[in-house]
Amino acid sequence: MPLSHKDQLTLLTDILSEHQLDCCGTVSECEQLERLVKQLLTNPEVHNHIKPVLNNVYDYSQAGQYAQHLDDHIESHKDELSQWVDNINQYY
């Protein structure tokens, strides 16, 4: 059974929150973020107001997959991670 867009957004914000709180993560989490964002951006049920945030998360996940020091990458986006979660949660 596929996840609804709300479930996908919940999973997305859970991963982003974990990155923000722990300042660490894995390449596979970045890959999962990328897959979630791709699905959400093409879903017409997703509110247009969060699509710019999703694009930012996509860029973050892309850079994280190829970062030499992933934890440093996450740490440098700590404030943005919190903002992204707050912005997404405003609409769901």
Side-chain angles (χ1 to χ4, degrees):
M1 181 172 149
L3 295 175
S4 72
H5 73 283
K6 290 184 181 184
D7 292 334
Q8 290 174 330
L9 286 167
T10 299
L11 179 56
L12 182 83
T13 57
D14 285 350
I15 295 170
L16 294 174
S17 293
E18 288 296 317
H19 281 199
Q20 196 268 335
L21 292 172
D22 298 340
C23 289
C24 65
T26 65
V27 171
S28 63
E29 288 172 337
C30 291
E31 292 168 343
Q32 187 172 20
L33 286 171
E34 179 184 3
R35 287 189 303 272
L36 286 167
V37 168
K38 281 182 179 179
Q39 291 174 358
L40 289 165
L41 284 171
T42 60
N43 188 327
E45 294 182 52
V46 173
H47 202 286
N48 284 335
H49 284 86
I50 64 167
K51 290 193 177 183
V53 173
L54 293 175
N55 284 316
N56 290 333
V57 173
Y58 182 83
D59 292 342
Y60 164 80
S61 67
Q62 282 274 293
Q65 289 178 55
Y66 303 105
Q68 189 167 5
H69 302 287
L70 180 55
D71 293 349
D72 293 340
H73 170 72
I74 294 170
E75 175 73 35
S76 70
H77 289 84
K78 190 172 182 174
D79 292 337
E80 291 169 289
L81 292 166
S82 180
Q83 286 178 317
W84 295 337
V85 169
D86 289 345
N87 288 341
I88 292 169
N89 286 334
Q90 277 183 336
Y91 294 97
Y92 290 98

